[in-house]
Amino acid sequence: MDTEMSVAERTPIANWDAYANSFSSVMPEQMLRLNRTVASYMDGNVVDFGCGGGKIIPFILTRDSVNTYTGIDSSAQMIERARWVANHYTQSRAQLIHSRIEDVDSIHSDSALSINSYYVWEDSFLVLSHIRRCLSPGTRFVIATINPDINMPALLDDAEKELIAHPHWAEFKEHNLKISVSENANFVSLDTLIGELREVGFCVQEANSELYGGGLNLVVCSVPNL
Ligand SMILES: C[S@@+](CC[C@H](N)C(=O)[O-])C[C@H]1O[C@@H](n2cnc3c(N)ncnc32)[C@H](O)[C@@H]1O
């Protein structure tokens, strides 16, 4: 357990505002597969915790079964880009909230997601508990986050074949390599993630580490009905 002092001394694993340009515009095939997979579980009123630049928005807002999308992120630059993406969809039924997840109130939801935000959280138990409390009973929640088996250099080498000429590729690659070796990135095993989700009160339905060459945990769970 972190003491107050060690949390305060922690170096953030990335400056998400500075990363917003490259992160929002580069979409390697592995990320595309992840976004498509997670979106396929989303229906009704969707909430995205740590939405970043809204890369998943096109896959969510084009689903007939989706009513609304709410994205939450603590980076102003990321939220600005997510808003830009959402504005491409007329009658987009999207709202973007610039806030820490821990500071948002209960949201009417049918499904929810969080992609690669967990490993950034200083206190994952606290943030997961808050998410659990925010969501409506019966909500399906899909969480995806990098695990310790990630081979980031290999994934980036593969992605470079398709993205080498992209104007933000070099920056994207550098950021991801830095994140993958950061001592402050909380990459956890699938068992640890499942354990935490159960501890805060989610019912776990499916779990695998198939994406990102085995380096990404994906868990589908739900908030119990009253
Ligand atoms: C690696 S990015 C992932 C963004 C997006 N989910 C995606 O997959 O494209 C991580 C995001 O989590 C956000 N984040 C981290 N901790 C947060 C918190 N406590 N509250 C809100 N956003 C947070 C960061 O600002 C960043 O945009």
Side-chain angles (χ1 to χ4, degrees), residues 96-112:
L96 280 312
I97 302 174
H98 177 213
S99 167
R100 293 191 326 149
I101 295 164
E102 303 89 304
D103 298 333
V104 294
D105 294 327
S106 296
I107 302 171
H108 175 60
S109 57
D110 299 295
S111 42

Side-chain angles (χ1 to χ4, degrees), residues 10-217:
R10 235 185 213 175
T11 317
I13 75 162
N15 175 348
W16 299 106
D17 276 340
Y19 186 25
N21 261 340
S22 61
F23 187 78
S24 309
S25 64
V26 180
M27 177 92 89
E29 191 196 353
Q30 295 279 351
M31 273 188 180
L32 188 60
R33 281 180 59 200
L34 170 60
N35 283 317
R36 282 192 202 282
T37 303
V38 174
S40 73
Y41 287 97
M42 298 293 124
D43 297 307
N45 300 303
V46 178
V47 187
D48 184 352
F49 295 97
C51 65
K55 284 171 124 159
I56 201 168
I57 289 175
F59 305 96
I60 303 263
L61 288 180
T62 51
R63 280 175 69 75
D64 290 342
S65 57
V66 165
N67 295 333
T68 63
Y69 168 90
T70 302
I72 300 152
D73 202 284
S74 52
S75 156
Q77 292 297 320
M78 288 287 196
I79 283 291
E80 194 178 300
R81 278 152 187 83
R83 200 164 277 137
W84 179 86
V85 176
N87 284 343
H88 275 67
Y89 296 86
T90 49
Q91 303 160 333
S92 80
R93 302 151 294 148
Q95 65 163 334
L96 280 312
I97 302 174
H98 177 213
S99 167
R100 293 191 326 149
I101 295 164
E102 303 89 304
D103 298 333
V104 294
D105 294 327
S106 296
I107 302 171
H108 175 60
S109 57
D110 299 295
S111 42
L113 69 117
S114 183
I115 298 180
N116 281 330
S117 192
Y118 173 100
Y119 69 74
V120 181
W121 304 337
E122 282 173 3
D123 185 338
S124 55
F125 190 82
L126 185 143
V127 180
L128 278 181
S129 308
H130 188 78
I131 289 175
R132 159 76 179 77
R133 280 196 302 274
C134 279
L135 297 173
S136 311
T139 298
R140 174 187 278 165
F141 177 50
V142 181
I143 181 163
T145 188
I146 290 172
N147 66 42
D149 292 334
I150 188 88
N151 184 344
M152 191 62 86
L155 289 174
L156 289 166
D157 279 351
D158 200 38
E160 191 161 71
K161 293 172 195 153
E162 53 181 303
L163 290 159
I164 190 163
H166 190 292
H168 293 303
W169 170 250
E171 198 180 296
F172 179 90
K173 183 177 170 179
E174 189 195 338
H175 270 291
N176 278 285
L177 283 172
K178 264 193 208 153
I179 288 169
S180 70
V181 295
S182 166
E183 282 176 8
N184 297 312
N186 187 21
F187 298 151
V188 297
S189 69
L190 185 56
D191 283 350
T192 299
L193 182 61
I194 291 172
E196 269 189 34
L197 287 163
R198 287 198 170 127
E199 218 174 317
V200 304
F202 283 104
C203 299
V204 173
Q205 277 129 10
E206 290 174 41
N208 68 64
S209 300
E210 289 164 5
L211 296 170
Y212 284 27
L216 185 105
N217 301 325

